[in-house]
Amino acid sequence: METVEMNSVSLKRPRSEDDVANADEIKRQKISEKSKTGNDSGQSVETVTDQPDKSLLEDTKNEIIPNEESEEQEDEELEDSDEDGDPESFADMMKHGLTESDVGITKFVSSHKGFSGILKERYSDFVVHEIGKDGRVSHLDDFSVPVDDEVNFEDPSEETFTVLSDEDKQRLEELQLLKNKETSVAIEVIEDTKEKRTVIHQAVKSLFPGLETKTEDRDGKKYIIAYHAAGKKALANPRKHSWPKSRGSYCHFVLYKENKDTMDAINVLSKFLRVKPNIFSYMGTKDKRAITVQEIAVLRITAQRLAHLNKCLMNFKLGNFSYKNHPLKLGELQGNHFTVVLRNITGTDGQIEQAMHSLREIGFINYYGMQRFGTTAVPTYQIGRAILQNNWNEVMDLILKPRPGAEKGYLVKCREEWAKTKDPAAALKKLPVKRCVEGQLLRGLLKYGMKNIISAFGIIPRNNRLMYIHSYQSYVWNNMVSKRIEEYGLRAVPGDLTLKGATAVHIEEGDVDNYTIHDVVMPLPGFDVIYPKHKIGEAYKEMLVADNLDINNMRHKIRDYSLSGAYRKIIIRPQNVNWEVVAYDDPRIPLFTTDLDKLEGKPLPVLPTDGKFRALKMEFSLPPSTYATMAIREVLKMDTSIKNQTQLNTTWLR
C-alpha cells in the first residue's frame, strides 16, 4: 500500500491565515450551492466531504466509504463546525498523545546537529507529485479535451449542463437512484424545437447514466419522459451503447487538489457527476494538508464532462485527459516526488548543508511515520494486537471507551454514554457523524448483538479493519529496526537479510563486504517470514511472546486477520535531492510556483535578499510506502509527533 503523509503528522500549528481563507471559501461555496438548489434538506451538492479527522482512518484510505444514508450526507457541516479550540487547549489535550519513542522511533543515521523549522505552516508548503510506473512524474499542464475520431458520437455541449433546472436534476437523480416510487420523470419542453428537445435528451442521458428518454405529447404540450430502461441493472451498466468502440473505456486524468485527501476528492467528483465512487480508480492515496497531483481513471465518463467540473469546484482542477482501455491499480506507481518548505529555520548554513548532504548520501531510517499509530491515548497498534490475540471484548473496549486526547465533542459524548450504559443505541444517538469507525461499530453491535462482536466489527470497511493489524506490524518493525541500528550500526553484518528478486536471503560471513546498509531488509511479522540469524531474530520472538503471540504462527482463524510476511528496507536513500535556502518577510506568501500557478501564468513573488525569516526549500523522490516526514525528521532531528510539536508551537506563538 502506498502511503504518503497525512495532515495529522504535520508539525501542527494553530490555524494559519491560509486555513482561515480556505474555510471561508468553503463556507461561501456551501452557501452558493444551497442557494442554487433552494434546498436545505442536505441533498444539495457540496464540495466538502471531509471524513472525521480520525487518525484511525488516515493511513489506509484505499477503500472509499460510500454515502450510505441521507442523514449521513449532512455530517460534513457538523464536522466542519466543531473546531479544535484555542492553541493552548489543543496542546494540553495532546499531552496524552504518542511521541516517537512510544512507537519505536528512536534512532538517527546522520551526525549533524539538529535545528528547528516549521513544516506545513501553510498546506501549500507541502506539494506531492505522483511518479507513475513508467517513471513519469504527473503534472497538471493541459486543460484541453481530446477530440474523438468517431463522428457518430457527440460529446455533451456546454448547453447540456445548463438546460435542466435544479428541480429537474434533483427529480432525475432520485429516479436514477431508485429513491422513490416514480417510474418516470416528465420535463416540459418550453421552447418546442427539435434542437431544444435534442439538447434535453442529451442532457438527461449524459448526466444520468442508466436513464432513457422519449418524447410525448400531453394536452398539446411536448414533454421529455425519462425512465429506467433496465431498473437497477442500468446503474451497474451505464449506457454501453452510447460509448464509441474506438474510444478507450476509461478516461484518465490528472487531479490537482488542495487541502483534501484522495477519498474526499473522489466522493466530491462522484457527487457532482452523479455516479458511484467505485467507478474511479487510482494508484495511491495522497495527503490532505498539502497540494497533490496524481493520476485518476474513471469508467465511461467523457473528458468534456470532467473538464466542466473545473468551473464548479474549488480546491480541485482536472486536466491532461486521455482515453485508455484499463483502469489504475493501487500500488502500481514508482513513488512520489515531494517539494517541501520548512519555514523559520534556525540552522546555520553549515548545518543545513551537512544535513542535506547526509540525506542525499546516506538517507534516513525507513520508519513507519506517526500517522500510522493514531493521535489519542489509545494507539491503533493496541487494537491491532487485540485482534491478533482474538480478544474481541478488548477490541470493542479500545475503540469505544473514553480516552484523553484531542477529539471532536460529539465523540467524547458518545464515549461517555457508552461507558455509562454499554448501550449501542444510546451511544449512537450521541453521534451525529455515523461514518466514523465508532459509529460503524455501534451500528454493527445493534445489528448483531453484544455477543457477536466479530460480525459487528466486520461492518467497518475492510481496509480500515486491516489498518489496525498493519499498525501493529509497523509498531513491531519500528522497535526492531531501532534495535538493529543500535546493535550493529550502519553496516551490513552476517545474518542480515537482503533481497534477491522477491526472495530474501541471508548475508553470509564471506559475502558481507559485497553489501552495504542500503541492501539490508528486515521482515514484518507474518507467518511466511524468514527471520535473521542474529540476535534481532530473538528480539522479534521476545517482543511477540510478551504480547501473547506466536511468531511462528501468525495465522488467524479469520483469514482476513492473518498476517502475511513482507520485507522492508532499513535505510531509504531519496532520489533527486535538491535544496536551497530562501529569505522572506511575509509568512503568508508562497515560496514556489505550483502547476496551477504556472497554468494561470502567476509569477513568483519577489523575495527579499535579507528577509526576517529563512526557509529551507527541499525536493526529493521516495518509493511507495515510505514517509516523507521521516526524511524531514532526519534533517531537523526533531520529534514529528503531534504531542511534541504542539508543545513547541504554543511556545513559538508567545
Side-chain angles (χ1 to χ4, degrees):
M1 184 195 75
E2 186 249 349
T3 305
V4 185
E5 279 56 51
M6 302 297 176
N7 60 314
S8 65
V9 293
S10 309
L11 312 196
K12 189 171 181 178
R13 290 171 61 85
R15 301 175 74 187
S16 59
E17 292 192 36
D18 70 311
D19 297 320
V20 176
N22 187 48
D24 291 341
E25 193 173 39
I26 290 169
K27 289 175 183 175
R28 285 196 299 273
Q29 182 168 344
K30 287 186 175 183
I31 294 168
S32 171
E33 292 294 338
K34 288 186 177 180
S35 65
K36 287 177 184 175
T37 60
N39 175 17
D40 291 326
S41 67
Q43 294 181 350
S44 59
V45 179
E46 296 179 0
T47 64
V48 179
T49 48
D50 282 343
Q51 303 291 347
D53 190 15
K54 286 287 295 163
S55 58
L56 299 178
L57 304 179
E58 286 188 306
D59 191 50
T60 306
K61 287 192 170 180
N62 299 333
E63 181 170 328
I64 294 171
I65 303 173
N67 297 325
E68 296 172 343
E69 300 170 3
S70 59
E71 77 236 28
E72 292 180 13
Q73 294 175 13
E74 300 171 2
D75 291 346
E76 293 92 2
E77 285 189 33
L78 279 164
E79 294 168 27
D80 287 340
S81 65
D82 198 345
E83 300 296 339
D84 288 336
D86 63 88
E88 283 74 21
S89 66
F90 181 79
D92 192 54
M93 287 189 291
M94 286 315 303
K95 289 176 183 176
H96 305 284
L98 298 171
T99 63
E100 288 183 345
S101 61
D102 292 329
V103 295
I105 302 173
T106 58
K107 302 297 180 182
F108 295 97
V109 298
S110 53
S111 58
H112 72 275
K113 183 179 178 182
F115 53 93
S116 67
I118 306 172
L119 171 62
K120 295 190 181 182
E121 183 172 43
R122 309 178 79 225
Y123 67 78
S124 54
D125 287 344
F126 196 92
V127 178
V128 186
H129 288 87
E130 191 171 70
I131 305 172
K133 58 182 178 182
D134 58 357
R136 182 179 55 84
V137 179
S138 292
H139 282 281
L140 180 77
D141 54 22
D142 184 6
F143 285 140
S144 65
V145 173
V147 178
D148 278 310
D149 295 331
E150 189 164 332
V151 296
N152 292 330
F153 183 85
E154 187 178 349
D155 268 331
S157 65
E158 189 65 28
E159 192 178 359
T160 296
F161 300 101
T162 57
V163 69
L164 298 173
S165 69
D166 291 323
E167 183 182 355
D168 289 337
K169 289 177 183 176
Q170 184 176 330
R171 291 169 62 211
L172 288 164
E173 182 172 9
E174 290 173 355
L175 176 67
Q176 177 185 243
L177 299 177
L178 304 169
K179 284 189 174 181
N180 53 37
K181 295 181 180 179
E182 284 188 81
T183 58
S184 65
V185 167
I187 302 168
E188 184 180 355
V189 183
I190 306 299
E191 303 170 29
D192 184 16
T193 64
K194 184 177 181 181
E195 291 76 13
K196 192 68 173 181
R197 292 198 302 273
T198 299
V199 170
I200 297 175
H201 281 293
Q202 189 182 54
V204 173
K205 293 176 181 179
S206 297
L207 299 178
F208 300 94
L211 296 184
E212 295 287 352
T213 58
K214 60 184 177 181
T215 304
E216 282 188 5
D217 283 308
R218 295 183 181 179
D219 300 324
K221 296 180 180 178
K222 283 278 197 309
Y223 288 85
I224 305 296
I225 310 299
Y227 61 96
H228 267 294
K232 291 185 178 180
K233 291 182 181 178
L235 283 175
N237 192 13
R239 302 194 54 74
K240 275 192 172 181
H241 66 275
S242 68
W243 198 265
K245 294 179 181 178
S246 62
R247 173 190 284 175
S249 294
Y250 294 87
C251 185
H252 287 230
F253 62 95
V254 169
L255 173 66
Y256 170 103
K257 61 181 182 62
E258 298 182 359
N259 214 24
K260 285 283 177 288
D261 68 43
T262 302
M263 275 179 36
D264 287 344
I266 295 299
N267 281 329
V268 169
L269 296 178
S270 63
K271 278 186 176 184
F272 268 76
L273 294 167
R274 296 180 173 85
V275 295
K276 290 186 175 181
N278 60 11
I279 71 170
F280 291 87
S281 58
Y282 46 91
M283 294 184 288
T285 57
K286 298 290 180 284
D287 302 56
K288 175 181 178 180
R289 187 167 168 77
I291 292 175
T292 70
V293 183
Q294 69 183 116
E295 189 174 350
I296 305 286
V298 60
L299 176 64
R300 294 182 184 274
I301 299 293
T302 67
Q304 187 160 346
R305 281 186 68 189
L306 293 167
H308 179 74
L309 297 179
N310 286 331
K311 300 178 181 179
C312 311
L313 300 177
M314 289 183 283
N315 301 66
F316 302 103
K317 289 294 179 185
L318 288 64
N320 297 80
F321 302 102
S322 62
Y323 293 108
K324 299 180 182 179
N325 288 316
H326 59 84
L328 295 170
K329 295 181 180 178
L330 282 166
E332 62 176 9
L333 73 169
Q334 265 193 30
N336 296 280
H337 185 75
F338 297 87
T339 305
V340 179
V341 168
L342 301 176
R343 291 181 183 256
N344 200 20
I345 56 171
T346 61
T348 66
D349 289 344
Q351 288 172 332
I352 293 166
E353 285 294 308
Q354 188 181 357
M356 294 307 298
H357 275 288
S358 176
L359 182 66
R360 183 167 62 189
E361 302 303 322
I362 300 175
F364 62 97
I365 303 172
N366 193 20
Y367 287 121
Y368 288 95
M370 292 301 297
Q371 61 271 42
R372 193 82 164 180
F373 306 104
T375 58
T376 68
V378 179
T380 51
Y381 75 79
Q382 289 185 2
I383 300 170
R385 180 169 55 201
I387 293 170
L388 294 170
Q389 292 169 341
N390 212 32
N391 188 344
W392 292 99
N393 282 310
E394 186 174 356
V395 171
M396 177 180 67
D397 186 49
L398 286 171
I399 293 175
L400 295 177
K401 72 178 183 180
R403 78 273 303 268
E407 284 203 305
K408 301 289 186 182
Y410 49 75
L411 266 175
V412 174
K413 293 175 184 175
C414 170
R415 296 187 192 287
E416 289 172 350
E417 183 66 32
W418 174 256
K420 184 170 64 176
T421 66
K422 289 295 189 289
D423 180 351
L428 199 59
K429 285 180 181 178
K430 302 287 185 182
L431 196 62
V433 179
K434 296 177 176 61
R435 281 176 293 164
C436 58
V437 167
E438 292 82 0
Q440 289 162 334
L441 177 57
L442 288 168
R443 284 192 299 181
L445 293 170
L446 270 176
K447 182 175 182 179
Y448 294 106
M450 298 285 286
K451 293 184 178 179
N452 195 351
I453 301 171
I454 295 176
S455 295
F457 183 72
I459 279 186
I460 298 169
R462 181 175 182 271
N463 275 13
N464 292 337
R465 285 182 277 122
L466 297 186
M467 176 272 300
Y468 292 116
I469 60 173
H470 293 157
S471 177
Y472 179 74
Q473 276 187 309
S474 305
Y475 170 72
V476 173
W477 196 90
N478 278 1
N479 278 277
M480 291 300 100
V481 79
S482 290
K483 192 168 186 64
R484 162 63 181 75
I485 297 291
E486 182 178 340
E487 290 285 343
Y488 300 108
L490 296 179
R491 59 190 177 90
V493 298
D496 273 336
L497 294 172
T498 189
L499 289 178
K500 301 283 188 179
T503 305
V505 297
H506 290 97
I507 298 175
E508 303 295 340
E509 183 81 44
D511 292 333
V512 73
D513 291 338
N514 297 324
Y515 297 96
T516 71
I517 192 65
H518 298 101
D519 301 312
V520 178
V521 298
M522 284 183 58
L524 290 160
F527 63 84
D528 61 351
V529 169
I530 304 170
Y531 285 86
K533 292 181 178 178
H534 49 54
K535 62 179 68 175
I536 302 304
E538 288 303 313
Y540 267 105
K541 293 177 184 177
E542 290 170 9
M543 186 171 184
L544 268 69
V545 166
D547 287 341
N548 295 315
L549 295 170
D550 181 358
I551 198 167
N552 297 313
N553 182 17
M554 300 302 288
R555 294 183 184 273
H556 197 282
K557 65 179 184 180
I558 301 170
R559 186 176 178 181
D560 265 359
Y561 309 137
S562 292
L563 287 180
S564 58
Y567 300 94
R568 183 174 177 88
K569 281 198 168 188
I570 288 182
I571 303 292
I572 291 292
R573 188 160 44 190
Q575 301 299 305
N576 309 310
V577 178
N578 291 290
W579 69 92
E580 66 173 319
V581 176
V582 296
Y584 66 101
D585 285 320
D586 187 348
R588 296 169 299 178
I589 62 172
L591 300 181
F592 56 87
T593 53
T594 66
D595 286 359
L596 187 58
D597 292 335
K598 292 171 186 175
L599 271 171
E600 295 177 345
K602 291 183 180 178
L604 258 179
V606 179
L607 298 175
T609 55
D610 188 23
K612 290 186 294 184
F613 309 107
R614 295 159 69 238
L616 171 59
K617 175 187 170 184
M618 64 173 77
E619 291 190 56
F620 52 86
S621 300
L622 294 177
S625 193
T626 55
Y627 290 72
T629 46
M630 293 295 100
I632 294 163
R633 167 188 183 269
E634 186 70 42
V635 170
L636 294 176
K637 297 283 187 76
M638 290 178 71
D639 186 326
T640 62
S641 66
I642 297 181
K643 176 176 181 176
N644 182 61
Q645 296 306 323
T646 48
Q647 312 310 315
L648 291 176
N649 289 336
T650 53
T651 303
W652 293 338
L653 287 172
R654 291 195 182 110

Short mmCIF file of all heavy atoms in Angstrom, two decimals, residues 575-606:
data_model
loop_
_atom_site.label_atom_id
_atom_site.label_comp_id
_atom_site.label_asym_id
_atom_site.label_seq_id
_atom_site.Cartn_x
_atom_site.Cartn_y
_atom_site.Cartn_z
N GLN A 575 15.92 9.96 -3.89
CA GLN A 575 16.47 10.30 -5.19
C GLN A 575 16.13 11.76 -5.51
O GLN A 575 15.22 12.34 -4.93
CB GLN A 575 15.90 9.37 -6.26
CG GLN A 575 16.18 7.90 -6.01
CD GLN A 575 17.67 7.59 -5.99
OE1 GLN A 575 18.39 7.90 -6.94
NE2 GLN A 575 18.13 6.98 -4.90
N ASN A 576 16.86 12.31 -6.48
CA ASN A 576 16.59 13.67 -6.99
C ASN A 576 16.53 14.70 -5.86
O ASN A 576 15.63 15.54 -5.80
CB ASN A 576 15.26 13.69 -7.77
CG ASN A 576 15.21 12.60 -8.83
OD1 ASN A 576 16.14 12.46 -9.62
ND2 ASN A 576 14.14 11.82 -8.84
N VAL A 577 17.51 14.63 -4.95
CA VAL A 577 17.53 15.54 -3.79
C VAL A 577 18.13 16.89 -4.21
O VAL A 577 19.24 16.95 -4.73
CB VAL A 577 18.34 14.94 -2.63
CG1 VAL A 577 18.40 15.91 -1.45
CG2 VAL A 577 17.74 13.60 -2.20
N ASN A 578 17.38 17.94 -3.99
CA ASN A 578 17.85 19.31 -4.23
C ASN A 578 17.35 20.20 -3.11
O ASN A 578 16.32 19.90 -2.48
CB ASN A 578 17.33 19.84 -5.57
CG ASN A 578 17.97 19.13 -6.75
OD1 ASN A 578 19.14 19.31 -7.03
ND2 ASN A 578 17.18 18.30 -7.44
N TRP A 579 18.05 21.30 -2.86
CA TRP A 579 17.60 22.20 -1.80
C TRP A 579 18.16 23.59 -2.02
O TRP A 579 19.14 23.79 -2.73
CB TRP A 579 18.00 21.67 -0.43
CG TRP A 579 19.48 21.69 -0.16
CD1 TRP A 579 20.21 22.68 0.44
CD2 TRP A 579 20.43 20.66 -0.49
NE1 TRP A 579 21.53 22.34 0.51
CE2 TRP A 579 21.70 21.11 -0.05
CE3 TRP A 579 20.32 19.41 -1.10
CZ2 TRP A 579 22.85 20.34 -0.21
CZ3 TRP A 579 21.46 18.66 -1.27
CH2 TRP A 579 22.71 19.12 -0.82
N GLU A 580 17.52 24.55 -1.40
CA GLU A 580 18.03 25.92 -1.35
C GLU A 580 17.43 26.62 -0.14
O GLU A 580 16.34 26.26 0.33
CB GLU A 580 17.70 26.69 -2.63
CG GLU A 580 16.21 26.95 -2.85
CD GLU A 580 15.97 27.86 -4.05
OE1 GLU A 580 16.72 28.84 -4.23
OE2 GLU A 580 15.00 27.60 -4.79
N VAL A 581 18.16 27.59 0.39
CA VAL A 581 17.68 28.41 1.50
C VAL A 581 17.22 29.74 0.93
O VAL A 581 17.96 30.38 0.17
CB VAL A 581 18.77 28.60 2.56
CG1 VAL A 581 18.29 29.54 3.66
CG2 VAL A 581 19.19 27.26 3.14
N VAL A 582 15.99 30.15 1.27
CA VAL A 582 15.46 31.42 0.78
C VAL A 582 15.07 32.29 1.97
O VAL A 582 14.72 31.79 3.04
CB VAL A 582 14.25 31.22 -0.15
CG1 VAL A 582 14.65 30.46 -1.40
CG2 VAL A 582 13.11 30.49 0.57
N ALA A 583 15.11 33.59 1.75
CA ALA A 583 14.70 34.55 2.78
C ALA A 583 13.32 35.08 2.45
O ALA A 583 12.93 35.17 1.28
CB ALA A 583 15.70 35.70 2.86
N TYR A 584 12.55 35.45 3.49
CA TYR A 584 11.22 36.00 3.27
C TYR A 584 10.83 36.84 4.49
O TYR A 584 11.36 36.66 5.59
CB TYR A 584 10.19 34.90 3.01
CG TYR A 584 9.93 33.97 4.18
CD1 TYR A 584 8.81 34.13 4.99
CD2 TYR A 584 10.82 32.94 4.48
CE1 TYR A 584 8.58 33.28 6.06
CE2 TYR A 584 10.60 32.09 5.55
CZ TYR A 584 9.48 32.26 6.34
OH TYR A 584 9.25 31.43 7.40
N ASP A 585 9.87 37.74 4.27
CA ASP A 585 9.35 38.57 5.35
C ASP A 585 7.94 38.18 5.76
O ASP A 585 7.58 38.20 6.93
CB ASP A 585 9.36 40.05 4.94
CG ASP A 585 10.76 40.64 4.95
OD1 ASP A 585 11.53 40.31 5.88
OD2 ASP A 585 11.08 41.42 4.04
N ASP A 586 7.11 37.84 4.77
CA ASP A 586 5.70 37.58 4.99
C ASP A 586 5.44 36.08 4.98
O ASP A 586 5.59 35.42 3.94
CB ASP A 586 4.88 38.27 3.90
CG ASP A 586 3.37 38.20 4.15
OD1 ASP A 586 2.96 37.42 5.04
OD2 ASP A 586 2.62 38.91 3.46
N PRO A 587 5.02 35.47 6.10
CA PRO A 587 4.79 34.02 6.13
C PRO A 587 3.59 33.57 5.29
O PRO A 587 3.40 32.39 5.07
CB PRO A 587 4.55 33.72 7.61
CG PRO A 587 4.11 35.02 8.21
CD PRO A 587 4.80 36.09 7.43
N ARG A 588 2.80 34.53 4.79
CA ARG A 588 1.61 34.16 4.02
C ARG A 588 1.90 33.94 2.54
O ARG A 588 1.08 33.39 1.83
CB ARG A 588 0.53 35.25 4.16
CG ARG A 588 0.01 35.43 5.57
CD ARG A 588 -0.83 36.69 5.70
NE ARG A 588 -0.05 37.88 5.38
CZ ARG A 588 -0.54 39.11 5.38
NH1 ARG A 588 -1.81 39.31 5.67
NH2 ARG A 588 0.23 40.14 5.11
N ILE A 589 3.05 34.40 2.08
CA ILE A 589 3.31 34.32 0.64
C ILE A 589 3.90 32.96 0.29
O ILE A 589 4.65 32.37 1.06
CB ILE A 589 4.24 35.45 0.16
CG1 ILE A 589 5.62 35.33 0.84
CG2 ILE A 589 3.63 36.82 0.40
CD1 ILE A 589 6.65 36.28 0.27
N PRO A 590 3.56 32.44 -0.91
CA PRO A 590 4.16 31.18 -1.35
C PRO A 590 5.62 31.39 -1.72
O PRO A 590 6.03 32.48 -2.13
CB PRO A 590 3.32 30.80 -2.58
CG PRO A 590 2.80 32.10 -3.10
CD PRO A 590 2.59 32.98 -1.89
N LEU A 591 6.40 30.33 -1.59
CA LEU A 591 7.83 30.42 -1.88
C LEU A 591 8.22 29.66 -3.14
O LEU A 591 9.39 29.55 -3.47
CB LEU A 591 8.63 29.92 -0.68
CG LEU A 591 8.41 30.71 0.62
CD1 LEU A 591 9.26 30.15 1.74
CD2 LEU A 591 8.69 32.20 0.42
N PHE A 592 7.23 29.09 -3.84
CA PHE A 592 7.48 28.49 -5.15
C PHE A 592 6.16 28.43 -5.91
O PHE A 592 5.08 28.60 -5.33
CB PHE A 592 8.10 27.09 -5.04
CG PHE A 592 7.30 26.13 -4.22
CD1 PHE A 592 6.28 25.37 -4.78
CD2 PHE A 592 7.58 25.96 -2.87
CE1 PHE A 592 5.55 24.48 -4.03
CE2 PHE A 592 6.85 25.07 -2.10
CZ PHE A 592 5.83 24.33 -2.68
N THR A 593 6.22 28.19 -7.21
CA THR A 593 5.01 28.14 -8.03
C THR A 593 4.53 26.71 -8.17
O THR A 593 5.33 25.78 -8.32
CB THR A 593 5.25 28.73 -9.43
OG1 THR A 593 6.38 28.07 -10.01
CG2 THR A 593 5.51 30.22 -9.38
N THR A 594 3.22 26.52 -8.13
CA THR A 594 2.60 25.22 -8.32
C THR A 594 2.25 25.02 -9.80
O THR A 594 2.36 25.94 -10.61
CB THR A 594 1.32 25.10 -7.49
OG1 THR A 594 0.35 26.04 -8.00
CG2 THR A 594 1.59 25.40 -6.03
N ASP A 595 1.80 23.81 -10.14
CA ASP A 595 1.35 23.54 -11.51
C ASP A 595 0.25 24.51 -11.92
O ASP A 595 0.23 25.01 -13.04
CB ASP A 595 0.82 22.11 -11.62
CG ASP A 595 1.94 21.07 -11.62
OD1 ASP A 595 3.11 21.47 -11.54
OD2 ASP A 595 1.62 19.87 -11.69
N LEU A 596 -0.68 24.76 -10.99
CA LEU A 596 -1.80 25.65 -11.31
C LEU A 596 -1.31 27.08 -11.50
O LEU A 596 -1.78 27.80 -12.40
CB LEU A 596 -2.86 25.58 -10.21
CG LEU A 596 -4.16 26.34 -10.48
CD1 LEU A 596 -4.83 25.84 -11.76
CD2 LEU A 596 -5.11 26.22 -9.30
N ASP A 597 -0.38 27.51 -10.66
CA ASP A 597 0.19 28.84 -10.82
C ASP A 597 0.79 29.00 -12.22
O ASP A 597 0.60 30.03 -12.89
CB ASP A 597 1.30 29.09 -9.78
CG ASP A 597 0.76 29.19 -8.36
OD1 ASP A 597 -0.43 29.55 -8.20
OD2 ASP A 597 1.51 28.91 -7.43
N LYS A 598 1.50 27.99 -12.66
CA LYS A 598 2.14 28.05 -13.97
C LYS A 598 1.10 28.10 -15.09
O LYS A 598 1.25 28.85 -16.05
CB LYS A 598 3.07 26.85 -14.16
CG LYS A 598 4.29 26.89 -13.23
CD LYS A 598 5.07 25.58 -13.29
CE LYS A 598 6.20 25.58 -12.26
NZ LYS A 598 6.91 24.29 -12.21
N LEU A 599 0.04 27.28 -14.96
CA LEU A 599 -1.01 27.30 -15.98
C LEU A 599 -1.71 28.65 -16.04
O LEU A 599 -2.12 29.11 -17.11
CB LEU A 599 -2.05 26.21 -15.68
CG LEU A 599 -1.79 24.83 -16.29
CD1 LEU A 599 -2.77 23.81 -15.71
CD2 LEU A 599 -1.90 24.86 -17.81
N GLU A 600 -1.86 29.28 -14.89
CA GLU A 600 -2.54 30.58 -14.83
C GLU A 600 -1.58 31.75 -15.02
O GLU A 600 -1.98 32.91 -14.96
CB GLU A 600 -3.28 30.71 -13.50
CG GLU A 600 -4.42 29.70 -13.34
CD GLU A 600 -5.10 29.80 -11.98
OE1 GLU A 600 -4.52 30.45 -11.07
OE2 GLU A 600 -6.20 29.23 -11.83
N GLY A 601 -0.30 31.45 -15.23
CA GLY A 601 0.68 32.50 -15.50
C GLY A 601 1.03 33.36 -14.32
O GLY A 601 1.46 34.51 -14.48
N LYS A 602 0.90 32.81 -13.11
CA LYS A 602 1.22 33.61 -11.92
C LYS A 602 2.74 33.61 -11.70
O LYS A 602 3.35 32.55 -11.64
CB LYS A 602 0.53 33.03 -10.68
CG LYS A 602 -0.97 33.20 -10.67
CD LYS A 602 -1.55 32.65 -9.37
CE LYS A 602 -3.06 32.80 -9.35
NZ LYS A 602 -3.64 32.22 -8.11
N PRO A 603 3.32 34.78 -11.53
CA PRO A 603 4.78 34.83 -11.29
C PRO A 603 5.08 34.56 -9.82
O PRO A 603 4.22 34.73 -8.95
CB PRO A 603 5.14 36.26 -11.67
CG PRO A 603 3.90 37.04 -11.36
CD PRO A 603 2.73 36.13 -11.64
N LEU A 604 6.29 34.16 -9.56
CA LEU A 604 6.73 34.03 -8.17
C LEU A 604 6.82 35.41 -7.53
O LEU A 604 7.22 36.37 -8.18
CB LEU A 604 8.11 33.38 -8.11
CG LEU A 604 8.21 31.92 -7.73
CD1 LEU A 604 9.66 31.48 -7.77
CD2 LEU A 604 7.63 31.66 -6.35
N PRO A 605 6.44 35.54 -6.26
CA PRO A 605 6.63 36.82 -5.60
C PRO A 605 8.12 37.16 -5.48
O PRO A 605 8.96 36.27 -5.39
CB PRO A 605 6.00 36.59 -4.21
CG PRO A 605 6.03 35.11 -4.02
CD PRO A 605 5.87 34.51 -5.37
N VAL A 606 8.40 38.41 -5.50
CA VAL A 606 9.79 38.86 -5.36
C VAL A 606 10.18 38.74 -3.89
O VAL A 606 9.55 39.35 -3.01
CB VAL A 606 9.96 40.30 -5.86
CG1 VAL A 606 11.40 40.76 -5.66
CG2 VAL A 606 9.55 40.41 -7.32
#
